[in-house]
């Protein structure tokens, strides 16, 4: 009796529950595939070619059916496959992409996207080849006779549309992969289906962005790493095209590719050279940027000349591969030029003069910083995008970046304190000898005073927030929020780990990258740089990283801490740099991470923790100050909606810090406009004039 009762138990199994969920969430995808399967079974298309059937011309789409008055074919043709292999491939592509789109967009929207994309692809492609028929383009003449079936264009449309709903970095990656696939197949295969895919992508990428994008907008990458990865991927796509043309020659839009594929060894050499340069682009190297730009511009120029000769004369050219790769190079050059600010890492040459001759600059900088110590921001001078000036004695250095004819010296010069006046004076002389405008950015009050004695002027641009660790205790009403965050994390199983990020498993690093890039993607402007680091800087073995991880291995938040050196190779404290949280994760995770890090550093014997200074955020009133102070105040207000510097400054007050002023030192008010432009380029190397105008309008 009990066994029978168990058998009749109405409680649904896990499989039944999943089936019901799928039927409820993706009915269009499942229904369409069921129709395709039944028709394939009924017609025998699942095991034999359809184009051998007498009724095939009655259901296939293309230009010939339209000229014959068979206007139903754009609808009937997209529920069949030409061969058994196509049935399988199309079903997998459609099932994966359209189900994903239906899950995120809903059934009604997905049906609209797929139907309109498929019909637009069929009709526009048919009319295009029909209008181009009987021209000198053999490709158009050939496709004007094609009758085709299939439903991959609907899947391409769905992927293009649903990409607008994704967050960074996946929205960019999906779009880049989709565009690369469509571009390569169209340029080097150029079948009727490839033309349909191109049209569907051109329709639903912008339409999807307009209709479905909510949290992020635009097509341009937000972070330096994404720009570099796109450029890296672009070169690999060009290399892949060379390999594909060699092993799979075809007859494309631009002509036959078999005659241009070259030898195996020339193809291999091309791929190896591209791989080497691509890897350097991935690292942001400036020399790789210049080399790629130069070669790409040369390739595009030669391609345009070839096209001009072919169009303007009867000269029969076999430039299919040249033109195809030329178009790919044009896209690569456009990406590199638009994202040029992401490729500022200089080629590390040995120091050629003074006491440090033959030394690698990065090594010398770290040794001098450990020997003489620095400010809470001095570790930022070790970042690879900086350049360095070393006096002849080799005991000092100034880290700087150069933009718009201005040299921005980053934080205090490093070296013996008694030589600071001489270091500033000598550095100024060197800048003037090169016709450049010098300024000192993010300096301490001590350096600002020394610069003042040398005739410089200064303006406070931020406040460094310092927490003294020896007396730190989270007691009293003022620390209630911090104690609550720690207690709540304990209850929810959130663990704090202080690690070297580079030593963590790939899964953890990938989550950290995703959290950071998603955070950047939500901003109205691209990722900031200069004194604001990211995941790449956090991967330095000298940097400590705080992670909040739950029992399932999910990272809820991340903070990175830069070492603060005192004299004699002693780390006396740590400076907060990266601070990111998972949007749907443990809410007070940042409070938990900072508090836990402070406790860990206190136990290690550190003296201070700097929560760092938020740029353009101050506690002082600027009503009766200098014009430069009011200018900085206005710029800070304008950037607040985008980066929240002031909100961040207010958040750090929870940790009861003391404040130390941070200064910009300049010699003449007449230099300020140029300094302002240079600082903008340093912080936002990828920002466009349009973005700056919009920023200024918001500020008003």
């Amino acid at each position: 009796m009990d066994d029978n009762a168990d058998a009749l138990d109405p409680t649904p199994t896990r499989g039944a529950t999943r089936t019901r969920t799928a039927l409820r969430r993706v009915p269009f995808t499942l229904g369409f595939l069921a129709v395709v399967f039944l028709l394939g079974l009924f017609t025998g298309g699942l095991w034999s070619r359809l184009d051998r059937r007498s009724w095939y011309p009655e259901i296939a789409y293309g230009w010939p059916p339209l000229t014959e008055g068979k206007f139903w074919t754009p609808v009937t043709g997209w529920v069949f496959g030409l061969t058994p292999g196509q049935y399988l491939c199309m079903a997998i592509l459609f099932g994966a992409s359209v189900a994903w789109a239906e899950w995120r967009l809903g059934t009604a929207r997905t049906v609209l996207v797929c139907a309109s994309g498929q019909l637009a692809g069929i009709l526009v492609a048919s009319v295009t080849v029909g209008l181009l028929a009987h021209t000198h383009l053999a490709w158009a003449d050939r496709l004007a006779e094609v009758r085709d079936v299939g439903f991959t264009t609907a899947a391409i449309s769905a992927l293009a549309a649903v990409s607008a709903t994704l967050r960074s970095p996946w929205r960019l990656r999906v779009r880049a992969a989709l565009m690369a696939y469509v571009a390569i197949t169209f340029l080097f295969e150029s079948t009727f289906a490839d033309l349909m895919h191109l049209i569907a992508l051109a329709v639903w990428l912008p339409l999807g962005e307009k209709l479905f994008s909510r949290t992020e907008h635009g097509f341009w990458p937000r972070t330096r790493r994404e720009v570099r990865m796109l450029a890296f991927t672009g070169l690999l796509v060009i290399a892949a095209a060379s390999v594909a043309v060699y092993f799979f020659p075809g007859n494309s839009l631009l002509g036959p590719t078999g005659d241009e594929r070259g030898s195996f060894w020339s193809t291999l050499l091309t791929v190896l050279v591209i791989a080497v340069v691509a890897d350097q682009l991935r690292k942001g190297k400036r020399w790789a940027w210049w080399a790629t730009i130069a070669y790409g511009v040369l390739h595009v120029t030669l391609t345009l000349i070839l096209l001009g000769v072919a169009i303007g004369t009867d000269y029969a050219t076999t430039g299919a591969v040249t033109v195809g790769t030329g178009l790919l190079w044009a896209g690569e050059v456009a990406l590199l030029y638009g994202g040029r600010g992401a490729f500022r890492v200089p080629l590390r040459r040995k120091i050629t003069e003074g006491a440090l001759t033959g030394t690698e600059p990065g090594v010398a900088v770290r040794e001098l910083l450990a020997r003489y110590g620095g400010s809470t921001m001095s570790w930022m001078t070790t970042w690879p995008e900086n350049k360095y000036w070393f006096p002849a004695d080799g005991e000092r250095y100034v880290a700087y970046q150069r933009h718009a004819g201005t040299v921005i010296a980053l934080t205090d010069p490093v070296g013996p304190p008694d030589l600071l006046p001489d270091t500033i004076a000598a550095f100024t002389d060197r800048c003037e000898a090169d016709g450049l405008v010098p300024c000192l950015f993010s300096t301490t009050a001590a350096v600002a005073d020394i610069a003042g004695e040398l005739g410089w002027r200064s303006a406070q641009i931020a406040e460094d927030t310092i927490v003294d660790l020896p007396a730190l205790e989270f007691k009293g009403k003022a620390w209630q929020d911090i104690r609550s965050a720690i207690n709540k994390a304990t209850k929810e199983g959130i663990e704090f780990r202080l690690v070297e990020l580079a030593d963590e498993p790939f899964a953890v690093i990938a989550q950290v990258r995703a959290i950071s890039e998603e955070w950047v993607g939500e901003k109205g402007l691209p990722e900031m740089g200069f004194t604001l680091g990211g995941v790449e800087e956090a991967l330095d073995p000298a940097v400590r990283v705080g992670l909040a991880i739950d029992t399932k291995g999910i990272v809820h938040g991340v903070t990175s801490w830069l070492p603060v050196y005192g004299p004699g190779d002693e780390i006396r404290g740590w400076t907060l740099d990266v601070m990111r949280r998972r949007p749907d994760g443990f809410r007070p995770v940042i409070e938990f991470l900072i508090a836990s890090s402070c406790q860990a550093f206190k136990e290690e014997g550190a003296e201070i923790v700097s929560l760092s200074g938020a740029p353009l955020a101050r506690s002082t009133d600027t009503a009766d100050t200098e014009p430069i102070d009011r200018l900085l105040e206005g710029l800070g207000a304008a950037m607040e909606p985008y980066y929240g510097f002031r909100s961040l400054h207010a958040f750090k007050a929870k940790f009861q810090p003391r404040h130390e002023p941070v200064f910009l030192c300049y010699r003449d008010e007449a230099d300020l406009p140029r300094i302002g432009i240079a600082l903008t380029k340093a912080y936002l190397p990828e920002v466009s004039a349009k973005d700056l105008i919009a920023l200024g309008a918001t500020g008003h």
Side-chain angles (χ1 to χ4, degrees):
M1 187 69 179
D2 292 340
D3 292 340
N4 292 335
D6 290 340
L8 297 174
D9 186 357
T11 303
T13 64
R14 181 177 299 179
T17 301
R18 290 177 177 175
T19 301
R20 292 177 184 176
T21 301
L23 289 172
R24 186 178 70 254
R25 296 293 296 271
V26 293
F28 168 66
T29 306
L30 296 177
F32 183 86
L33 289 177
V35 170
V36 169
F37 175 78
L38 291 175
L39 286 174
L41 190 65
F42 178 75
T43 61
L46 293 180
W47 55 83
S48 63
R49 294 181 63 95
L50 280 187
D51 56 355
R52 295 173 181 171
R53 308 298 177 90
S54 60
W55 46 265
Y56 178 75
E58 302 300 318
I59 57 99
Y61 49 70
W63 178 244
L66 293 183
T67 61
E68 297 166 3
K70 299 174 182 177
F71 301 115
W72 59 85
T73 55
V75 176
T76 58
W78 70 305
V79 290
F80 293 95
L82 187 61
T83 66
Q86 282 189 8
Y87 263 109
L88 178 62
C89 294
M90 289 192 299
I92 293 174
L93 175 62
F94 189 93
S97 57
V98 178
W100 182 35
E102 192 172 3
W103 194 280
R104 296 185 67 88
L105 297 177
T107 299
R109 290 178 173 180
T110 304
V111 171
L112 172 65
V113 170
C114 291
S116 62
Q118 180 81 16
L119 290 175
I122 293 172
L123 295 175
V124 176
S126 298
V127 173
T128 298
V129 298
L131 293 177
L132 292 176
H134 310 299
T135 64
H136 68 285
L137 286 175
W139 165 80
D141 293 338
R142 185 174 69 255
L143 291 193
E145 302 298 325
V146 167
R147 298 174 190 263
D148 202 2
V149 292
F151 44 91
T152 53
T153 304
I156 295 295
S157 302
L159 284 174
V162 77
S163 67
T165 68
L166 303 178
R167 293 177 178 268
S168 294
W170 293 107
R171 61 189 272 122
L172 182 66
R173 293 175 183 177
V174 169
R175 288 171 168 177
L178 195 57
M179 288 188 288
Y181 166 75
V182 171
I184 290 179
T185 55
F186 179 71
L187 289 175
F188 300 106
E189 291 294 330
S190 306
T191 65
F192 192 79
D194 296 331
L195 178 59
M196 291 169 56
H197 295 166
L198 178 66
I199 293 166
L201 189 66
V203 170
W204 272 110
L205 266 185
L207 267 183
E209 177 70 15
K210 182 176 180 61
L211 297 177
F212 306 135
S213 183
R214 294 292 180 266
T215 58
E216 295 183 39
H217 301 279
F219 295 91
W220 192 253
R222 297 289 187 183
T223 67
R224 295 187 298 277
R225 179 174 181 270
E226 281 301 306
V227 174
R228 294 170 182 174
M229 289 303 295
L230 270 187
F232 168 77
T233 304
L235 283 188
L236 294 188
V237 166
I238 294 173
S242 300
V243 173
V245 166
Y246 180 83
F247 287 103
F248 307 102
N251 194 10
S252 71
L253 160 71
L254 305 168
T257 61
D259 296 337
E260 293 184 77
R261 58 182 181 171
S263 68
F264 171 79
W265 295 110
S266 65
T267 302
L268 179 62
L269 179 61
T270 299
V271 170
L272 290 177
V273 171
I274 286 179
V276 171
V277 177
D279 184 63
Q280 295 302 298
L281 282 180
R282 182 182 60 83
K283 297 176 181 178
K285 296 293 187 179
R286 193 66 173 174
W287 75 264
W289 183 90
W290 277 110
T292 310
I293 281 282
Y295 184 82
V297 169
L298 178 63
H299 202 299
V300 171
T301 302
L302 293 176
T303 300
L304 291 175
I305 294 173
L306 176 64
L307 279 175
V309 171
I311 294 173
T313 68
D314 294 330
Y315 175 71
T317 177
T318 59
V321 176
T322 303
V323 175
T325 54
L327 292 173
L328 294 178
W329 274 110
E332 180 76 3
V333 168
L335 171 65
L336 288 172
Y337 182 77
R340 55 193 177 279
F343 304 94
R344 298 188 295 155
V345 179
L347 178 63
R348 294 303 193 189
R349 298 187 177 94
K350 300 296 183 181
I351 300 172
T352 57
E353 59 184 21
L356 296 174
T357 299
T359 306
E360 215 283 329
V363 174
V365 163
R366 296 192 180 213
E367 290 178 351
L368 290 173
L369 180 58
R371 185 184 311 163
Y372 294 108
S375 72
T376 57
M377 296 180 65
S378 291
W379 184 259
M380 299 172 187
T381 64
T382 69
W383 290 351
E385 292 180 349
N386 295 314
K387 298 179 180 179
Y388 304 101
W389 175 76
F390 297 93
D393 59 15
E395 290 297 307
R396 300 165 281 166
Y397 75 86
V398 176
Y400 68 90
Q401 291 192 17
R402 177 177 169 177
H403 301 278
T406 302
V407 175
I408 310 169
L410 176 58
T411 194
D412 296 357
V414 173
D418 58 318
L419 294 180
L420 272 175
D422 178 71
T423 303
I424 296 172
F427 179 71
T428 304
D429 291 341
R430 179 60 184 269
C431 292
E432 289 179 339
D434 293 335
L436 302 171
V437 173
C439 70
L440 308 177
F441 185 73
S442 292
T443 66
T444 61
V447 170
D449 290 342
I450 293 173
E453 295 172 359
L454 296 174
W456 293 57
R457 305 195 66 176
S458 62
Q460 183 182 339
I461 56 171
E463 288 178 334
D464 197 359
T465 47
I466 307 294
V467 177
D468 294 306
L469 295 180
L472 178 66
E473 293 184 351
F474 301 133
K475 296 181 179 180
K477 185 177 180 180
W479 294 97
Q480 180 60 47
D481 288 348
I482 306 304
R483 291 197 303 272
S484 297
I486 296 174
N487 294 334
K488 188 174 181 181
T490 302
K491 292 179 181 178
E492 297 191 14
I494 306 293
E495 176 191 7
F496 170 75
R497 293 171 55 191
L498 191 61
V499 302
E500 292 181 12
L501 185 59
D503 293 337
E504 291 298 292
F506 172 79
V508 172
I509 297 176
Q511 289 187 72
V512 170
R513 289 192 187 279
I515 291 171
S516 180
E517 290 166 358
E518 185 173 341
W519 178 86
V520 172
E522 294 176 350
K523 302 301 176 183
L525 288 175
E527 178 187 31
M528 299 188 79
F530 196 31
T531 63
L532 300 172
V535 177
E536 298 306 314
E537 288 76 16
L539 286 167
D540 190 315
V543 174
R544 306 285 288 281
V545 171
L547 300 174
I549 303 180
D550 66 17
T551 55
K552 297 180 180 179
I554 297 175
V555 178
H556 289 256
V558 56
T559 53
S560 70
W561 300 90
L562 313 178
V564 179
Y565 277 94
D569 199 15
E570 176 188 3
I571 296 178
R572 67 185 189 92
W574 300 87
T575 296
L576 178 63
D577 183 28
V578 172
M579 185 170 58
R580 305 280 192 269
R581 61 178 294 271
R582 184 181 293 277
D584 56 349
F586 178 60
R587 191 156 193 81
V589 68
I590 299 301
E591 291 93 331
F592 168 66
L593 281 170
I594 293 177
S596 300
S597 298
C598 287
Q599 289 177 322
F601 292 139
K602 177 182 177 180
E603 292 172 1
E604 293 177 359
E607 300 173 9
I608 63 167
V609 154
S610 167
L611 302 183
S612 69
L616 308 175
R618 299 182 288 177
S619 303
T620 55
D621 184 10
T622 59
D624 299 319
T625 51
E626 297 289 333
I628 178 61
D629 297 305
R630 292 194 291 272
L631 174 63
L632 293 170
E633 177 74 10
L635 183 58
M639 299 188 74
E640 177 63 19
Y642 296 96
Y643 294 104
F645 292 141
R646 295 178 177 183
S647 302
L648 179 61
H649 194 63
F651 167 81
K652 293 174 181 177
K654 291 183 178 182
F655 295 90
Q656 315 303 313
R658 57 182 172 87
H659 296 95
E660 293 185 357
V662 178
F663 294 92
L664 165 69
C665 300
Y666 57 97
R667 296 178 307 161
D668 190 334
E669 283 85 352
D671 294 335
L672 289 175
R674 180 176 289 185
I675 292 173
I677 294 172
L679 287 171
T680 301
K681 296 301 293 181
Y683 273 110
L684 294 166
E686 292 93 23
V687 74
S688 66
K690 179 181 178 181
D691 291 329
L692 290 176
I693 292 172
L695 178 63
T698 304
H700 293 297

